[in-house]
Amino acid sequence: MRTDTMKPNTSRWGDDNSYDFFDSLPIEGLAWECLRRSNSYQRHYLALVRSGAETKPFPTEVQRRWGLRFRGPA
């Protein structure tokens, strides 16, 4: 079970070029890049993985909490 897929690569955090891809992201991509860095979201997702529910649709109240819905892998 991999749980590190949402962790950003911080090895080049000071390199401006490592963020150039942000300029070409659609709004959904930008939202995902920000959300996946949230410690609260990471904890929630880890709980889903541990329970085996990460591939099931989020309940409506959870969708409202995070504000994003993905039809497939993000």
Side-chain angles (χ1 to χ4, degrees), residues 8-9 12-13 15-37:
N9 178 354
R12 295 178 22 170
W13 71 268
D15 179 4
D16 289 342
N17 293 327
S18 64
Y19 296 95
D20 285 346
F21 74 98
F22 268 63
D23 293 337
S24 62
L25 287 175
I27 192 68
E28 299 86 0
L30 180 59
W32 171 241
E33 287 297 325
C34 295
L35 178 63
R36 74 186 186 97
R37 288 167 170 77

Side-chain angles (χ1 to χ4, degrees), residues 3-59:
T3 58
D4 63 342
T5 57
M6 290 191 306
K7 299 275 184 193
N9 178 354
T10 58
S11 64
R12 295 178 22 170
W13 71 268
D15 179 4
D16 289 342
N17 293 327
S18 64
Y19 296 95
D20 285 346
F21 74 98
F22 268 63
D23 293 337
S24 62
L25 287 175
I27 192 68
E28 299 86 0
L30 180 59
W32 171 241
E33 287 297 325
C34 295
L35 178 63
R36 74 186 186 97
R37 288 167 170 77
S38 163
N39 289 331
S40 181
Y41 183 81
Q42 289 178 14
R43 285 189 301 273
H44 182 245
Y45 185 78
L46 181 58
L48 290 174
V49 169
R50 287 182 175 157
S51 70
E54 78 276 15
T55 60
K56 297 177 184 169
F58 280 180

